[in-house]
Amino acid sequence: MGDLAVTAVASPPRLRVPGFVAASAVALAAALAGALVGPAGLTSRGVLAELVDALPLVSVDSGLTPTQQAILWQIRLPRVVLGALVGATLASAGAAYQGAFRNPLADPYLLGVSSGAGLGATLGIVSGGSLGPFDIPLLAFGGGLLGVAATYVLGSSVGGEGGAVAIVLAGVAVAAFFNALQSFVQQRYDDSLLAVYSWMMGRLSTDGWSDVLLVLPYVLVSCGVILLHRRALDVLAVGDVEAASLGIDPARVRLVLVLAATLGTAAVVSVSGLIGFVGVVVPHAVRLLFGASHRTLVPMALLLGAAFVVLSDIAARSALAPAEVPIGVVTAVVGAPFFLVVLRRNRAAA
Amino acid sequence: MSHHLAARSGALLLAASLLAACGQADAGDGSADRPSSDQTTDASFPVTVASGQEGDLTEITVDARPESIVSLSPTATEMLWAVGAGDQVVAVDDQSDHPEGVPSTKLSGYEPNVEAILGHAPDLVISAGDSGDLVAGLEDAGVPTLLLPSASDLDEAYAQIERVGAATGHVAEAAQVVAETQQGVEEAVASAPDVSGLTYFHELSPDLYTASSGTFIGEVYGLFGLENIADAAAKDGDLYPKLSAEYVVSADPDFVLLADSECCDIHPEDVAERAGWKGLDAVENGGIIELDEDVTSRWGPRVVEFAETIAALVSEHAPAN
């Protein structure tokens, strides 16, 4: 692994195609592992047979009972798919924020998106469903947009040359403000502490395919827009003046990217809660392995982000099975030390 | 640990019976059976009462019969009224709602504000927890605090009722409440058919947090012979584990008890609609019921109601044989 990483940093372009193949294989393997592992004790043979049986033109008897089939198709697989969508979205959004603000630490947490969404979701939870069935996702989305908008407006108003730095600093202030409001609301409605707490720790849904379908359109739009702008992100990386001279309006591109990343983040955060470190760890790992070009970075982050969250969820489900560890705990425990390693290596490379 | 508890419970029971005898003697000379509030020199004071969690008990001293009690715990509030100390209570926290008409305030037991509590000039404060250095803050003001944390089993719950009785000058009534509660639970269990081997899932939240057998909630189910599907997950000492949905479905419990209907709007029909849950025995046989969240989460005298609810459920669904 270490040798591979060193070689990859030394020669990113040559490794691009094999890299994509490898990343796709990792994502697929993670998804397959996600389908095979779980506390219900389905046999691997049965699960594989069910999956093959689902292919067109093939019919295999898996030997799974109807209950086991329901567990596989309605609980475990939607969870794997949702995990993949959440991971892909958070990682590509992280890459977009980092590129747009030219700040390697920018991620949904630092820009007020997650705390805004957190406040919105908390309001939805304490309102106890009195605002309708979609109150929590909608309020989380509204809060996320409000958070990043406040960050953007505050950061830009003091912007000037240090725009990117000012925006991140504004994000810290906005996040602190929203977190304080959220604590206040939580304290006022301590009945709902457990629900809010559970949301804060992150969890992949138990609601079958409905949550997958709920976030899918936002995820497609968000990831799609970011993918289409991967060349623009490379141009932004050179500098605003240079970007303008190349015919790109940096302010407009930045706004489009931030809106797209926020849309995706708020959508997945509203169903999965706060799953931290994905947006910052995965893009950094990809940069380390395959170089900093966004043409490679964005699609790689998408694939490996999906794999990272699916694998973290396997750990969350297995560590204390049949009890469950909140997935946000797993991503933080795995992500934080990894993040430090990446930071050290980046410094060594610089 | 349980030795200590047993010893302390024994001591309390002994004290209770002695004082009960005194009470009888008082009644003999024509005074009211219950000490009246103008009786300023209650012979049982000063009294020393155990405070805190089983295994980590401290002692507090109540100098005279308290006449302005502040309760920061809904369970303690129910205990106070049950032992007849209700008229000595001046304020209860924002979560206390039983019995009807308790002097509820905006005080919070989760985020206690010592200054606001002292505003009610208490001579005894009862709380389930010590967040925000509540005990130390009140001690500085010379107010004793009786800590009655979440009971892990029924014995501890009964011991707490006795401690409430001792601290408020209602030892005999407390002993009677305990006896009645014990009897009520026993009768509920006796009225139900043997359902040993049937399994249950007690749902605390839509995220499938649950209570294992190591809690007083689990103990009540256990009295009926019901087996908790969560116990496999409680092996690491987590008494309130969060279960995987696929584990609950694969365990296929006979009963699903919803303690999240009020907080989270979860009803039996919602459970049936969950992805993958439709084939559960509990769904097909009507083994899903809503519980009164307050009754099941408080370890006071209303645990009898909780036991009766389960008795009714299992009676309705006992396997025919």
Side-chain angles (χ1 to χ4, degrees), chain B residues 150-154 157 200-204 210-224 226 228 239-240 257 259 291-299 303 306-307 310:
Chain B
S150 195
S152 57
D153 56 28
L154 289 173
Y200 74 96
F201 169 62
H202 179 94
E203 180 171 310
L204 288 174
T210 188
S212 69
S213 289
T215 64
F216 80 93
I217 296 171
E219 186 184 353
V220 174
Y221 288 109
L223 294 173
F224 291 86
L226 290 169
N228 193 334
L239 295 178
Y240 295 91
L257 293 302
L291 298 172
D292 182 318
E293 282 166 46
D294 292 340
V295 170
T296 50
S297 63
R298 298 176 190 174
W299 51 99
V303 73
F306 177 28
I310 303 170

Short mmCIF file of all heavy atoms in Angstrom, two decimals, chain B residues 150-154 157 200-204 210-224 226 228 239-240 257 259 291-299 303 306-307 310:
data_model
loop_
_atom_site.label_atom_id
_atom_site.label_comp_id
_atom_site.label_asym_id
_atom_site.label_seq_id
_atom_site.Cartn_x
_atom_site.Cartn_y
_atom_site.Cartn_z
N SER B 150 -32.27 7.10 38.01
CA SER B 150 -32.99 6.04 37.31
C SER B 150 -32.71 4.67 37.94
O SER B 150 -31.56 4.25 38.02
CB SER B 150 -32.50 6.06 35.87
OG SER B 150 -33.34 5.34 35.07
N ALA B 151 -33.76 4.00 38.40
CA ALA B 151 -33.57 2.72 39.08
C ALA B 151 -33.26 1.63 38.07
O ALA B 151 -33.83 1.59 36.99
CB ALA B 151 -34.82 2.34 39.86
N SER B 152 -32.32 0.75 38.42
CA SER B 152 -31.98 -0.32 37.48
C SER B 152 -32.86 -1.54 37.68
O SER B 152 -32.92 -2.41 36.82
CB SER B 152 -30.50 -0.70 37.62
OG SER B 152 -30.25 -1.10 38.94
N ASP B 153 -33.53 -1.63 38.82
CA ASP B 153 -34.47 -2.74 38.99
C ASP B 153 -35.57 -2.32 39.98
O ASP B 153 -35.53 -1.23 40.56
CB ASP B 153 -33.75 -4.02 39.46
CG ASP B 153 -32.95 -3.82 40.73
OD1 ASP B 153 -33.33 -2.94 41.54
OD2 ASP B 153 -31.95 -4.52 40.92
N LEU B 154 -36.54 -3.21 40.14
CA LEU B 154 -37.69 -2.85 40.96
C LEU B 154 -37.31 -2.68 42.43
O LEU B 154 -37.84 -1.79 43.10
CB LEU B 154 -38.78 -3.93 40.83
CG LEU B 154 -39.50 -3.94 39.48
CD1 LEU B 154 -40.44 -5.12 39.38
CD2 LEU B 154 -40.27 -2.65 39.27
N ALA B 157 -36.19 0.70 42.88
CA ALA B 157 -37.34 1.61 42.81
C ALA B 157 -38.08 1.62 44.15
O ALA B 157 -38.44 2.69 44.67
CB ALA B 157 -38.28 1.19 41.68
N TYR B 200 -39.99 -10.36 23.03
CA TYR B 200 -40.52 -9.00 22.84
C TYR B 200 -39.41 -8.04 22.47
O TYR B 200 -38.23 -8.29 22.70
CB TYR B 200 -41.23 -8.52 24.11
CG TYR B 200 -40.29 -8.16 25.23
CD1 TYR B 200 -39.88 -6.84 25.44
CD2 TYR B 200 -39.78 -9.14 26.07
CE1 TYR B 200 -39.00 -6.51 26.46
CE2 TYR B 200 -38.90 -8.83 27.10
CZ TYR B 200 -38.52 -7.51 27.29
OH TYR B 200 -37.65 -7.19 28.30
N PHE B 201 -39.85 -6.92 21.91
CA PHE B 201 -38.96 -5.82 21.60
C PHE B 201 -39.61 -4.54 22.13
O PHE B 201 -40.73 -4.21 21.76
CB PHE B 201 -38.73 -5.73 20.08
CG PHE B 201 -38.03 -4.47 19.63
CD1 PHE B 201 -36.75 -4.18 20.07
CD2 PHE B 201 -38.66 -3.59 18.76
CE1 PHE B 201 -36.11 -3.01 19.66
CE2 PHE B 201 -38.01 -2.42 18.33
CZ PHE B 201 -36.73 -2.14 18.80
N HIS B 202 -38.92 -3.88 23.03
CA HIS B 202 -39.44 -2.65 23.65
C HIS B 202 -38.79 -1.47 22.94
O HIS B 202 -37.61 -1.20 23.11
CB HIS B 202 -39.09 -2.67 25.15
CG HIS B 202 -39.55 -1.45 25.91
ND1 HIS B 202 -40.75 -1.41 26.58
CD2 HIS B 202 -38.96 -0.24 26.10
CE1 HIS B 202 -40.88 -0.21 27.16
NE2 HIS B 202 -39.81 0.51 26.88
N GLU B 203 -39.56 -0.77 22.13
CA GLU B 203 -38.98 0.28 21.27
C GLU B 203 -38.99 1.64 21.94
O GLU B 203 -40.05 2.19 22.24
CB GLU B 203 -39.77 0.33 19.95
CG GLU B 203 -39.24 1.37 18.99
CD GLU B 203 -39.88 1.25 17.60
OE1 GLU B 203 -39.90 0.14 17.05
OE2 GLU B 203 -40.36 2.28 17.10
N LEU B 204 -37.80 2.19 22.15
CA LEU B 204 -37.69 3.50 22.80
C LEU B 204 -37.64 4.63 21.79
O LEU B 204 -37.91 5.78 22.13
CB LEU B 204 -36.43 3.55 23.66
CG LEU B 204 -36.44 2.74 24.95
CD1 LEU B 204 -35.08 2.79 25.62
CD2 LEU B 204 -37.51 3.26 25.89
N THR B 210 -33.45 0.53 22.54
CA THR B 210 -34.33 -0.34 23.30
C THR B 210 -33.80 -0.52 24.71
O THR B 210 -32.71 -0.04 25.04
CB THR B 210 -34.48 -1.70 22.59
OG1 THR B 210 -35.48 -2.48 23.25
CG2 THR B 210 -33.17 -2.47 22.62
N ALA B 211 -34.59 -1.19 25.55
CA ALA B 211 -34.18 -1.45 26.93
C ALA B 211 -33.92 -2.95 27.07
O ALA B 211 -34.75 -3.76 26.66
CB ALA B 211 -35.27 -1.02 27.91
N SER B 212 -32.77 -3.30 27.64
CA SER B 212 -32.45 -4.72 27.82
C SER B 212 -33.08 -5.23 29.12
O SER B 212 -33.70 -4.48 29.86
CB SER B 212 -30.94 -4.91 27.87
OG SER B 212 -30.46 -4.34 29.07
N SER B 213 -32.88 -6.52 29.41
CA SER B 213 -33.44 -7.10 30.63
C SER B 213 -32.81 -6.54 31.89
O SER B 213 -33.35 -6.68 32.97
CB SER B 213 -33.26 -8.62 30.62
OG SER B 213 -34.10 -9.21 29.68
N GLY B 214 -31.65 -5.90 31.74
CA GLY B 214 -30.95 -5.37 32.90
C GLY B 214 -31.52 -4.06 33.41
O GLY B 214 -30.93 -3.43 34.27
N THR B 215 -32.66 -3.64 32.91
CA THR B 215 -33.31 -2.41 33.36
C THR B 215 -34.58 -2.77 34.12
O THR B 215 -35.07 -3.89 34.01
CB THR B 215 -33.70 -1.53 32.16
OG1 THR B 215 -34.69 -2.24 31.39
CG2 THR B 215 -32.49 -1.26 31.27
N PHE B 216 -35.12 -1.81 34.87
CA PHE B 216 -36.37 -2.14 35.58
C PHE B 216 -37.49 -2.42 34.59
O PHE B 216 -38.39 -3.22 34.86
CB PHE B 216 -36.75 -1.05 36.59
CG PHE B 216 -37.42 0.14 35.98
CD1 PHE B 216 -38.80 0.23 35.92
CD2 PHE B 216 -36.67 1.18 35.47
CE1 PHE B 216 -39.43 1.32 35.35
CE2 PHE B 216 -37.29 2.28 34.90
CZ PHE B 216 -38.66 2.36 34.83
N ILE B 217 -37.41 -1.79 33.41
CA ILE B 217 -38.41 -2.08 32.36
C ILE B 217 -38.32 -3.56 31.97
O ILE B 217 -39.33 -4.27 31.93
CB ILE B 217 -38.14 -1.18 31.12
CG1 ILE B 217 -38.33 0.28 31.48
CG2 ILE B 217 -39.03 -1.60 29.96
CD1 ILE B 217 -37.89 1.25 30.38
N GLY B 218 -37.08 -4.01 31.70
CA GLY B 218 -36.88 -5.40 31.31
C GLY B 218 -37.26 -6.36 32.42
O GLY B 218 -37.77 -7.45 32.16
N GLU B 219 -37.04 -5.94 33.67
CA GLU B 219 -37.38 -6.82 34.78
C GLU B 219 -38.88 -7.09 34.80
O GLU B 219 -39.32 -8.22 35.05
CB GLU B 219 -36.94 -6.18 36.11
CG GLU B 219 -37.13 -7.12 37.29
CD GLU B 219 -36.79 -6.47 38.63
OE1 GLU B 219 -36.28 -5.33 38.64
OE2 GLU B 219 -37.07 -7.11 39.66
N VAL B 220 -39.69 -6.05 34.53
CA VAL B 220 -41.15 -6.24 34.55
C VAL B 220 -41.56 -7.26 33.49
O VAL B 220 -42.33 -8.19 33.77
CB VAL B 220 -41.87 -4.89 34.34
CG1 VAL B 220 -43.37 -5.11 34.21
CG2 VAL B 220 -41.56 -3.94 35.49
N TYR B 221 -41.03 -7.13 32.28
CA TYR B 221 -41.35 -8.12 31.24
C TYR B 221 -40.91 -9.51 31.67
O TYR B 221 -41.60 -10.50 31.44
CB TYR B 221 -40.64 -7.76 29.93
CG TYR B 221 -41.17 -6.55 29.20
CD1 TYR B 221 -40.45 -5.36 29.15
CD2 TYR B 221 -42.40 -6.62 28.55
CE1 TYR B 221 -40.94 -4.26 28.47
CE2 TYR B 221 -42.89 -5.51 27.86
CZ TYR B 221 -42.16 -4.34 27.82
OH TYR B 221 -42.64 -3.26 27.15
N GLY B 222 -39.71 -9.57 32.29
CA GLY B 222 -39.16 -10.85 32.69
C GLY B 222 -40.05 -11.58 33.68
O GLY B 222 -40.10 -12.81 33.69
N LEU B 223 -40.78 -10.81 34.52
CA LEU B 223 -41.67 -11.45 35.50
C LEU B 223 -42.75 -12.29 34.81
O LEU B 223 -43.28 -13.23 35.39
CB LEU B 223 -42.35 -10.38 36.38
CG LEU B 223 -41.41 -9.59 37.31
CD1 LEU B 223 -42.16 -8.45 37.99
CD2 LEU B 223 -40.80 -10.51 38.35
N PHE B 224 -43.08 -11.92 33.57
CA PHE B 224 -44.09 -12.67 32.82
C PHE B 224 -43.48 -13.84 32.06
O PHE B 224 -44.19 -14.58 31.40
CB PHE B 224 -44.80 -11.74 31.83
CG PHE B 224 -45.67 -10.71 32.48
CD1 PHE B 224 -45.15 -9.50 32.90
CD2 PHE B 224 -47.03 -10.95 32.69
CE1 PHE B 224 -45.95 -8.55 33.51
CE2 PHE B 224 -47.83 -10.00 33.29
CZ PHE B 224 -47.30 -8.79 33.71
N LEU B 226 -41.34 -13.34 29.65
CA LEU B 226 -41.02 -12.88 28.29
C LEU B 226 -39.51 -12.74 28.13
O LEU B 226 -38.81 -12.36 29.05
CB LEU B 226 -41.69 -11.53 28.02
CG LEU B 226 -43.21 -11.56 27.89
CD1 LEU B 226 -43.78 -10.14 27.91
CD2 LEU B 226 -43.61 -12.27 26.60
N ASN B 228 -36.28 -11.01 26.14
CA ASN B 228 -35.95 -9.77 25.46
C ASN B 228 -35.00 -10.05 24.31
O ASN B 228 -33.92 -10.59 24.51
CB ASN B 228 -35.30 -8.82 26.48
CG ASN B 228 -35.19 -7.41 25.96
OD1 ASN B 228 -35.14 -7.18 24.75
ND2 ASN B 228 -35.18 -6.47 26.87
N LEU B 239 -27.02 -1.09 28.62
CA LEU B 239 -28.36 -1.54 29.00
C LEU B 239 -29.44 -1.02 28.06
O LEU B 239 -30.53 -1.56 28.01
CB LEU B 239 -28.66 -1.10 30.44
CG LEU B 239 -27.76 -1.75 31.50
CD1 LEU B 239 -28.10 -1.21 32.89
CD2 LEU B 239 -27.92 -3.27 31.48
N TYR B 240 -29.13 0.05 27.35
CA TYR B 240 -30.10 0.61 26.40
C TYR B 240 -29.50 0.61 25.00
O TYR B 240 -29.17 1.66 24.45
CB TYR B 240 -30.50 2.03 26.83
CG TYR B 240 -31.24 2.07 28.15
CD1 TYR B 240 -30.56 2.24 29.34
CD2 TYR B 240 -32.62 1.94 28.18
CE1 TYR B 240 -31.24 2.26 30.56
CE2 TYR B 240 -33.31 1.96 29.38
CZ TYR B 240 -32.61 2.12 30.57
OH TYR B 240 -33.30 2.14 31.76
N LEU B 257 -43.47 -3.53 21.72
CA LEU B 257 -44.08 -2.56 22.62
C LEU B 257 -43.54 -1.18 22.30
O LEU B 257 -42.33 -0.95 22.41
CB LEU B 257 -43.75 -2.89 24.08
CG LEU B 257 -44.31 -4.16 24.73
CD1 LEU B 257 -45.83 -4.15 24.65
CD2 LEU B 257 -43.75 -5.42 24.13
N ALA B 259 -42.77 2.43 22.99
CA ALA B 259 -42.65 3.51 23.97
C ALA B 259 -42.25 4.79 23.27
O ALA B 259 -41.63 5.67 23.86
CB ALA B 259 -41.64 3.13 25.05
N LEU B 291 -47.46 1.92 24.33
CA LEU B 291 -47.38 2.06 25.78
C LEU B 291 -47.51 3.53 26.15
O LEU B 291 -47.21 4.41 25.34
CB LEU B 291 -46.03 1.54 26.28
CG LEU B 291 -45.73 0.07 26.06
CD1 LEU B 291 -44.28 -0.22 26.44
CD2 LEU B 291 -46.68 -0.80 26.87
N ASP B 292 -47.94 3.78 27.39
CA ASP B 292 -47.88 5.14 27.92
C ASP B 292 -46.42 5.41 28.28
O ASP B 292 -45.85 4.78 29.16
CB ASP B 292 -48.78 5.25 29.16
CG ASP B 292 -48.80 6.66 29.72
OD1 ASP B 292 -47.72 7.29 29.78
OD2 ASP B 292 -49.89 7.14 30.09
N GLU B 293 -45.79 6.35 27.53
CA GLU B 293 -44.35 6.57 27.71
C GLU B 293 -43.99 6.97 29.13
O GLU B 293 -42.96 6.56 29.66
CB GLU B 293 -43.88 7.67 26.76
CG GLU B 293 -43.70 7.16 25.36
CD GLU B 293 -43.56 8.29 24.36
OE1 GLU B 293 -42.81 9.24 24.61
OE2 GLU B 293 -44.24 8.22 23.33
N ASP B 294 -44.84 7.80 29.74
CA ASP B 294 -44.52 8.25 31.09
C ASP B 294 -44.57 7.09 32.06
O ASP B 294 -43.70 6.92 32.91
CB ASP B 294 -45.51 9.34 31.52
CG ASP B 294 -45.31 10.61 30.72
OD1 ASP B 294 -44.23 10.76 30.13
OD2 ASP B 294 -46.24 11.43 30.68
N VAL B 295 -45.63 6.28 31.95
CA VAL B 295 -45.77 5.16 32.88
C VAL B 295 -44.60 4.20 32.75
O VAL B 295 -44.06 3.72 33.75
CB VAL B 295 -47.11 4.43 32.63
CG1 VAL B 295 -47.15 3.12 33.41
CG2 VAL B 295 -48.28 5.32 33.03
N THR B 296 -44.15 3.92 31.53
CA THR B 296 -43.08 2.93 31.38
C THR B 296 -41.70 3.49 31.68
O THR B 296 -40.80 2.74 32.01
CB THR B 296 -43.05 2.36 29.95
OG1 THR B 296 -43.06 3.44 29.03
CG2 THR B 296 -44.22 1.46 29.71
N SER B 297 -41.53 4.81 31.56
CA SER B 297 -40.18 5.33 31.76
C SER B 297 -39.95 5.78 33.20
O SER B 297 -38.84 6.08 33.58
CB SER B 297 -39.90 6.49 30.81
OG SER B 297 -40.79 7.55 31.08
N ARG B 298 -41.01 5.83 34.00
CA ARG B 298 -40.85 6.25 35.41
C ARG B 298 -40.94 5.02 36.30
O ARG B 298 -41.78 4.16 36.09
CB ARG B 298 -41.93 7.28 35.76
CG ARG B 298 -41.80 8.54 34.93
CD ARG B 298 -42.91 9.52 35.19
NE ARG B 298 -42.87 10.59 34.19
CZ ARG B 298 -43.79 11.54 34.08
NH1 ARG B 298 -44.82 11.58 34.91
NH2 ARG B 298 -43.68 12.47 33.14
N TRP B 299 -40.06 4.99 37.29
CA TRP B 299 -39.94 3.79 38.11
C TRP B 299 -40.69 3.95 39.43
O TRP B 299 -40.32 3.39 40.44
CB TRP B 299 -38.47 3.45 38.32
CG TRP B 299 -37.63 4.60 38.82
CD1 TRP B 299 -37.26 4.83 40.11
CD2 TRP B 299 -37.09 5.68 38.06
NE1 TRP B 299 -36.53 5.99 40.20
CE2 TRP B 299 -36.40 6.53 38.96
CE3 TRP B 299 -37.11 6.03 36.69
CZ2 TRP B 299 -35.75 7.70 38.54
CZ3 TRP B 299 -36.46 7.19 36.28
CH2 TRP B 299 -35.79 8.01 37.19
N VAL B 303 -45.68 1.69 38.14
CA VAL B 303 -45.14 0.49 37.49
C VAL B 303 -46.20 -0.61 37.50
O VAL B 303 -46.19 -1.50 36.64
CB VAL B 303 -43.83 0.07 38.19
CG1 VAL B 303 -44.10 -0.54 39.54
CG2 VAL B 303 -43.03 -0.87 37.32
N PHE B 306 -48.04 -0.38 34.30
CA PHE B 306 -47.19 -0.95 33.25
C PHE B 306 -47.36 -2.48 33.25
O PHE B 306 -47.63 -3.10 32.21
CB PHE B 306 -45.75 -0.52 33.53
CG PHE B 306 -44.72 -1.06 32.57
CD1 PHE B 306 -45.04 -1.39 31.26
CD2 PHE B 306 -43.40 -1.21 32.98
CE1 PHE B 306 -44.07 -1.87 30.38
CE2 PHE B 306 -42.44 -1.68 32.13
CZ PHE B 306 -42.76 -2.02 30.83
N ALA B 307 -47.26 -3.08 34.45
CA ALA B 307 -47.41 -4.53 34.54
C ALA B 307 -48.79 -4.98 34.09
O ALA B 307 -48.94 -6.00 33.40
CB ALA B 307 -47.13 -4.99 35.97
N ILE B 310 -49.03 -5.07 30.30
CA ILE B 310 -48.40 -6.25 29.71
C ILE B 310 -49.26 -7.49 29.98
O ILE B 310 -49.43 -8.35 29.11
CB ILE B 310 -46.98 -6.45 30.27
CG1 ILE B 310 -46.15 -5.19 29.99
CG2 ILE B 310 -46.31 -7.66 29.64
CD1 ILE B 310 -44.83 -5.20 30.71
#
